Amino acid sequence: MKILLISANTEQINMPVLPLGMAYIGAAVQNAGHDVKILNLMMVQDIRGLLSESISGFLPDVIGISVRNIDDQVMETPNFLLDRVKTVVNECRSLSNAPVVLGGAGYSIFPGSALEYLKADMGIQGEGEKAFVMLLEQLELKGDISKIPGLCLPGTGLLGKSRPVKELDNFPQPILNTHLRFPSILKNEDIWFPIQTRRGCAMNCSYCSTANIEGRLLRKHSVAYAVDLIRQYANAGINNFYFVDNTFNFPLSYAKALCDRIIAERLNIRWRCILYPWKIDEELVEKMARSGCKEVSLGFESGSENILKRMNKHYTLDDVRRISKMLGKQQIRRMGFLLLGGPGETKDSVKQSLYFADSLETEAMKITSGIRIYPHTALHRIAIDKKMIGPDEDLLFPKFYMAEELKGWLEEVVAEWIESRENWMR
């Protein structure tokens, strides 16, 4: 079969991103014997023209569309991103009779409502490497699709629960310039090339949607698989890498082994990652620096012990201070994050957070006011109990949690702090 895969994401919320998830799908579909064509709409000026040319020239049997983001998570001026995706779906409909299948991280949070809004034929929640290949097999045979894990149909909803694959090394590796391409307008230095070595997260933070996307079970590629992939890309001229794992430092032994292998292979690369500020020692930070780590996202979220407990965080402020100092000592750039306005937040706790963040002297600090409410999270349940939202309310259109006493005040205070600090941002 001919399969057209389209990354519909055009948003550059923090930086341009490459569609790594779709690249894995493309590799899996090609490995199953299908003919694959991949389109990345990032930075494309004439989307309609590209779709028309690609569809008429390829004549796909199935069109898969990856939905990365639902909105930009900004409470003050929320930007709903699905209307752009809807335009892509409509264009595909007008140009082809092929069934349109949705997938991706954003879609997986809202499989039923996103499918209904975008008017596609079906969608797959969660990992698609195995499920999408199974779907293609049944579509080709005109067989029974009801047993496909994570499949969602209009008016029916999810037919079965998504089943994350435990052995990630069984997935074929995405090939540069075949499954994963740079937008032609970008240079190598403009982008951090995504690498995922682990999937899933068991930390269960009160507001986080990761479990709905990747599951709570932490699964790992072998260190050999991960570094082999990095080596291939580095040999092709890629300089900058971004470990998009939810928590680079878990398990600690795995993170150290990964750094050791990069050092041993003498891969001359620069990389960044996301750290959970807990269970990090000096040995890991030293190995990170030696293997090329230049920047980390340090999402400590609050400078109040009480708020950290409410968010179900496992670290303390002392942990954050200690780890931040270790990173600074190794000259690893730190991007700090504060997430303000959630349950239990007060004016005093906000001030504690701002002063705490200031004391860390990070190279950059991003402040978010108001917390996006996602389904099946503790924050969702709290918002229902406080009657901020209804129990059956569709959260596809963004709703935010903001502590009542902070409304209006928080935005003004954050604006004042950002104005007087060049390296702070919203």
Side-chain angles (χ1 to χ4, degrees):
M1 297 177 74
K2 292 183 177 181
I3 314 302
L4 177 62
L5 298 178
I6 303 170
S7 173
N9 177 47
T10 60
E11 183 64 36
Q12 301 173 53
I13 294 174
N14 292 314
M15 59 181 168
V17 292
L18 297 181
L20 179 64
M22 193 180 73
Y24 269 99
I25 301 297
V29 168
Q30 187 173 54
N31 190 62
H34 300 285
D35 190 6
V36 180
K37 184 178 181 65
I38 293 178
L39 295 182
N40 181 5
L41 301 186
M42 173 70 71
M43 295 184 173
V44 172
Q45 297 297 319
D46 183 11
I47 290 176
R48 178 176 297 182
L50 178 62
L51 290 174
S52 178
E53 178 185 351
S54 300
I55 291 175
S56 63
F58 187 60
L59 299 177
D61 297 300
V62 176
I63 298 174
I65 297 180
S66 174
V67 181
R68 183 179 187 270
N69 299 108
I70 302 298
D71 58 274
D72 61 1
Q73 300 181 328
V74 177
M75 187 185 71
E76 293 89 345
T77 55
N79 185 9
F80 187 64
L81 303 174
L82 285 194
D83 286 336
R84 303 177 194 177
V85 182
K86 198 169 192 176
T87 299
V88 174
V89 173
N90 290 341
E91 286 297 320
C92 290
R93 289 272 196 228
S94 69
L95 296 165
S96 173
N97 292 321
V100 176
V101 184
L102 303 177
Y107 169 75
S108 293
I109 304 172
F110 303 97
S113 54
L115 181 63
E116 181 180 351
Y117 185 80
L118 295 172
K119 305 299 181 187
D121 294 289
M122 57 191 82
I124 291 180
Q125 181 192 43
E127 289 173 356
E129 288 93 340
K130 185 175 180 179
F132 188 56
V133 170
M134 292 172 62
L135 175 62
L136 296 179
E137 180 182 0
Q138 292 304 314
L139 291 176
E140 188 172 25
L141 297 173
K142 295 181 171 55
D144 180 15
I145 64 173
S146 65
K147 299 292 194 289
I148 307 296
L151 184 66
C152 188
L153 297 178
T156 303
L158 284 170
L159 300 183
K161 190 175 181 180
S162 177
R163 294 197 293 268
V165 175
K166 292 184 179 180
E167 298 297 330
L168 296 185
D169 282 6
N170 291 339
F171 294 147
Q173 295 179 343
I175 300 172
L176 186 66
N177 296 324
T178 298
H179 308 118
L180 204 54
R181 292 186 178 91
F182 276 103
S184 58
I185 197 173
L186 285 179
K187 297 179 180 178
N188 194 352
E189 293 77 15
D190 294 331
I191 199 163
W192 292 83
F193 201 87
I195 293 289
Q196 186 176 45
T197 67
R198 285 151 282 189
R199 298 186 187 182
C201 184
M203 301 315 295
N204 200 28
C205 299
S206 64
Y207 52 84
C208 186
S209 61
T210 295
N212 292 335
I213 303 169
E214 298 182 2
R216 300 188 188 282
L217 178 66
L218 180 62
R219 297 158 291 133
K220 308 182 295 292
H221 279 298
S222 67
V223 169
Y225 178 107
V227 176
D228 180 61
L229 191 57
I230 295 170
R231 186 196 314 109
Q232 291 181 44
Y233 295 155
N235 289 342
I238 304 300
N239 302 320
N240 302 323
F241 292 87
Y242 184 10
F243 287 97
V244 296
D245 310 337
N246 295 293
T247 49
F248 179 83
N249 50 302
F250 292 157
L252 184 62
S253 58
Y254 180 91
K256 290 179 180 179
L258 190 60
C259 292
D260 284 339
R261 187 73 174 247
I262 294 172
I263 294 167
E265 301 243 355
R266 297 184 178 180
L267 299 180
N268 185 23
I269 63 172
R270 302 169 69 250
W271 58 271
R272 61 187 296 186
C273 68
I274 304 166
L275 288 183
Y276 186 93
W278 188 47
K279 293 190 174 180
I280 295 175
D281 58 24
E282 289 194 9
E283 183 183 22
L284 173 61
V285 178
E286 290 171 0
K287 289 176 184 290
M288 288 169 60
R290 286 182 58 204
S291 60
C293 181
K294 302 300 180 183
E295 179 178 328
V296 300
S297 295
L298 194 64
F300 55 89
E301 315 301 9
S302 178
S304 163
E305 298 282 11
N306 175 52
I307 299 301
L308 291 179
K309 290 178 182 177
R310 287 175 175 267
M311 289 180 169
N312 198 34
K313 300 295 186 180
H314 298 276
Y315 52 84
T316 66
L317 298 183
D318 285 341
D319 291 324
V320 177
R321 289 191 191 93
R322 177 179 55 83
I323 292 165
S324 181
K325 285 181 181 178
M326 288 191 296
L327 293 166
K329 181 180 177 182
Q330 293 295 333
Q331 298 184 327
I332 296 175
R333 188 174 186 270
R334 300 152 296 176
M335 166 71 88
F337 289 83
L338 283 179
L339 190 55
L340 306 175
E345 193 86 86
T346 65
K347 292 180 180 180
D348 284 342
S349 66
V350 168
K351 291 175 183 177
Q352 289 172 26
S353 292
L354 294 171
Y355 282 111
F356 176 76
D358 214 21
S359 73
L360 296 178
E361 299 181 342
T362 58
E363 287 69 27
M365 183 67 61
K366 184 174 176 62
I367 316 295
T368 299
S369 300
I371 305 178
R372 173 58 151 104
I373 303 171
Y374 288 112
H376 313 298
T377 63
L379 184 66
H380 182 208
R381 294 188 291 272
I382 293 170
I384 292 173
D385 290 342
K386 289 186 172 293
K387 302 191 184 315
M388 290 183 170
I389 58 173
D392 300 318
E393 191 165 349
D394 186 359
L395 298 174
L396 182 68
F397 296 94
K399 295 292 180 69
F400 296 83
Y401 192 107
M402 172 61 74
E404 189 66 31
E405 73 168 275
L406 302 182
K407 290 181 179 178
W409 177 87
L410 180 58
E411 291 87 341
E412 292 180 3
V413 169
V414 169
E416 290 174 4
W417 278 67
I418 289 176
E419 186 177 1
S420 60
R421 290 162 179 79
E422 292 184 359
N423 62 330
W424 285 36
M425 68 198 78
R426 290 184 177 178

